[in-house]
Amino acid sequence: IHSNHFHYRDLVYVCRCLNRRTPSGANCSLNPHSLLRALEENMNGLDEVEFREVVDIFFQAISAETLDDFSVPPAADFRDAFDTIRQSLQRSHRDQERCSPELMPRYKLIIDPSEDNSAVRLLFDLAVLAPEVQTRGGQGTHVFTMSDFDADCSDLRCAEMVSRIKVCMERGQTILLVNTERIHGSLYDLLNLQFRKLAGLEGGEDRVFANLAIGAQTYPCPVHPEFMCIVHLSQRLLPRTPAPFLSRFEKFVLSTNQFVKLTVRQLSTPDQQLAEAVEVRARSFVEFIGRSNFYGFSESTLSSIIMSRVSKDSSSHQIADRSGKNSASGFDWISMFCQDDQGLGNEGKVAFCVRSVCAQLLQLVPPEVVIVKLRNVRTRDFYYQNYFGCNEHFKLDSFLDGLLNRDESRHPICFKHILFARTNNSVLGLTSAQSFPPLIARDLVVKICDRDNFESQVAFEQSLNDFVQSDGQRVMLMVVATRDCSPGH
């Protein structure tokens, strides 16, 4: 646990949470269940093991003082991070309507272990937050993101975003701030819950105001009782984030690994054992190849691959295998399920799925590493055939040719792929579909964009929306030089 993770304010809000959970007019009585709920919401932002250590510290201290049997609730009473933040958001909206400004619950901080903002997608995929476009009256979650484009780093851009946040405050909408560190100073009073309450005129409702800094000026702005702010923070920034900033929020860690564990727990016992065995052997395979030999490998990479093999139907979850018996491009996947009627024993099913997972992992490894590392592996022929025969690693036009040859009746959705090129001269020189004869033969219109040509995120999103709404364009190539990439992009 980082030394600056918790502050005295976190302990104060634990006590306030216990007080709010006590019925009005009743004596405040402390019980294990209410304390656990208060700790889940106000002393969190940790993984399961670290949070359990915090819980043990509190319960042991109370037991020592009261001399009573104040034991930790069973594991079944612990909520997962997704349920905790979902219920915390629901409770916050209820409490804000009846609480005075000084007792209002804190806003939320999402700590994301990934480098691609996976936690943001999980919030919407699991219906913790509602997308703005799927709600009436624009009452969904408004996402505010600041990029590193030159035009987005200007004071004018920051002032525009603060002004848009001000509108959401007045309307009582939920906002999600992603990569917005540059404007946190402008929201100092808001994030600190430093509100001023003004009595309504002639019996009208009381109003709450918070100061916002727009440019060099500070303005009091009304805050609707239902307004909620959620801040996204990459975990790699956590050690150097000041404790006063962290103490402003209820903290939660959301990761793909947590989602995988939660999903696996819902499987049947045999399938749970299968998933766990596949993960253990796949991790051993990664260590054998060497983590540094995988392009873009992170802690969530393996979990994401295993998650793609968990399919849900009307009866149960299965660990699905998607083996690459397909066209030359290797992206026309054939779904196969490890069922007992396939004649595979338990060990055969594990080996079958491990080979499939490892074959997909190898797509992130350079060819020379595959040849050297697997030359003494007993199943090297399978991996060689899958790597060199079913996947294209050398020619971009062949990759696109195979991608466009897929059966659209079986793959009707869009796909996004990241291609790592050893050299960028030929890629950066692309200007039209004339560089790709297979595309010309199909009379396809290809949109090619260079990251360096965009000055702002607005311009980039406009280009992307134009592509999505276009009737004739099916392929969009975004060229980004590695020197322009940073973690999280």
mmCIF file of all heavy atoms in Angstrom, residues 93 152 193 244 272 453-454 466:
data_model
loop_
_atom_site.group_PDB
_atom_site.id
_atom_site.type_symbol
_atom_site.label_atom_id
_atom_site.label_comp_id
_atom_site.label_asym_id
_atom_site.label_seq_id
_atom_site.Cartn_x
_atom_site.Cartn_y
_atom_site.Cartn_z
ATOM 1 N N HIS A 93 -26.472 9.431 -4.889
ATOM 2 C CA HIS A 93 -27.558 10.246 -5.427
ATOM 3 C C HIS A 93 -28.664 10.418 -4.392
ATOM 4 O O HIS A 93 -29.255 11.496 -4.262
ATOM 5 C CB HIS A 93 -28.117 9.611 -6.696
ATOM 6 C CG HIS A 93 -27.225 9.775 -7.887
ATOM 7 N ND1 HIS A 93 -26.809 11.002 -8.340
ATOM 8 C CD2 HIS A 93 -26.660 8.854 -8.720
ATOM 9 C CE1 HIS A 93 -26.037 10.855 -9.394
ATOM 10 N NE2 HIS A 93 -25.922 9.564 -9.648
ATOM 11 N N ASP A 152 -5.019 21.005 -27.992
ATOM 12 C CA ASP A 152 -5.740 20.661 -26.768
ATOM 13 C C ASP A 152 -4.966 21.039 -25.512
ATOM 14 O O ASP A 152 -5.487 20.876 -24.400
ATOM 15 C CB ASP A 152 -6.051 19.162 -26.737
ATOM 16 C CG ASP A 152 -7.081 18.782 -27.787
ATOM 17 O OD1 ASP A 152 -7.820 19.681 -28.214
ATOM 18 O OD2 ASP A 152 -7.129 17.602 -28.178
ATOM 19 N N LEU A 193 -15.324 19.389 -2.413
ATOM 20 C CA LEU A 193 -16.650 19.563 -1.819
ATOM 21 C C LEU A 193 -16.718 20.819 -0.963
ATOM 22 O O LEU A 193 -17.396 20.854 0.086
ATOM 23 C CB LEU A 193 -17.048 18.335 -0.990
ATOM 24 C CG LEU A 193 -17.065 16.991 -1.717
ATOM 25 C CD1 LEU A 193 -17.486 15.876 -0.770
ATOM 26 C CD2 LEU A 193 -17.986 17.020 -2.921
ATOM 27 N N PRO A 244 -3.322 14.654 -0.606
ATOM 28 C CA PRO A 244 -4.523 15.500 -0.521
ATOM 29 C C PRO A 244 -5.477 15.317 -1.698
ATOM 30 O O PRO A 244 -6.691 15.405 -1.529
ATOM 31 C CB PRO A 244 -3.948 16.928 -0.476
ATOM 32 C CG PRO A 244 -2.592 16.773 0.101
ATOM 33 C CD PRO A 244 -2.090 15.460 -0.434
ATOM 34 N N GLN A 272 -14.391 -23.785 -14.180
ATOM 35 C CA GLN A 272 -13.500 -22.963 -13.370
ATOM 36 C C GLN A 272 -12.109 -23.576 -13.308
ATOM 37 O O GLN A 272 -11.093 -22.889 -13.461
ATOM 38 C CB GLN A 272 -14.060 -22.811 -11.954
ATOM 39 C CG GLN A 272 -15.244 -21.890 -11.829
ATOM 40 C CD GLN A 272 -15.631 -21.662 -10.374
ATOM 41 O OE1 GLN A 272 -14.771 -21.561 -9.507
ATOM 42 N NE2 GLN A 272 -16.921 -21.575 -10.111
ATOM 43 N N ASN A 453 -1.019 14.867 -38.700
ATOM 44 C CA ASN A 453 -1.825 15.853 -39.407
ATOM 45 C C ASN A 453 -2.979 16.391 -38.567
ATOM 46 O O ASN A 453 -3.675 17.308 -38.988
ATOM 47 C CB ASN A 453 -2.391 15.254 -40.699
ATOM 48 C CG ASN A 453 -1.288 14.942 -41.705
ATOM 49 O OD1 ASN A 453 -0.228 15.569 -41.692
ATOM 50 N ND2 ASN A 453 -1.534 13.962 -42.565
ATOM 51 N N PHE A 454 -3.198 15.810 -37.384
ATOM 52 C CA PHE A 454 -4.284 16.274 -36.514
ATOM 53 C C PHE A 454 -3.725 17.217 -35.461
ATOM 54 O O PHE A 454 -2.710 16.932 -34.824
ATOM 55 C CB PHE A 454 -4.974 15.089 -35.829
ATOM 56 C CG PHE A 454 -5.685 14.167 -36.774
ATOM 57 C CD1 PHE A 454 -5.139 12.929 -37.087
ATOM 58 C CD2 PHE A 454 -6.880 14.533 -37.351
ATOM 59 C CE1 PHE A 454 -5.781 12.066 -37.958
ATOM 60 C CE2 PHE A 454 -7.541 13.679 -38.229
ATOM 61 C CZ PHE A 454 -6.984 12.446 -38.532
ATOM 62 N N ASP A 466 -16.598 10.827 -39.696
ATOM 63 C CA ASP A 466 -16.824 10.871 -41.143
ATOM 64 C C ASP A 466 -16.632 9.494 -41.767
ATOM 65 O O ASP A 466 -17.371 9.095 -42.675
ATOM 66 C CB ASP A 466 -15.873 11.884 -41.796
ATOM 67 C CG ASP A 466 -16.213 13.320 -41.416
ATOM 68 O OD1 ASP A 466 -17.324 13.557 -40.934
ATOM 69 O OD2 ASP A 466 -15.330 14.193 -41.574
#
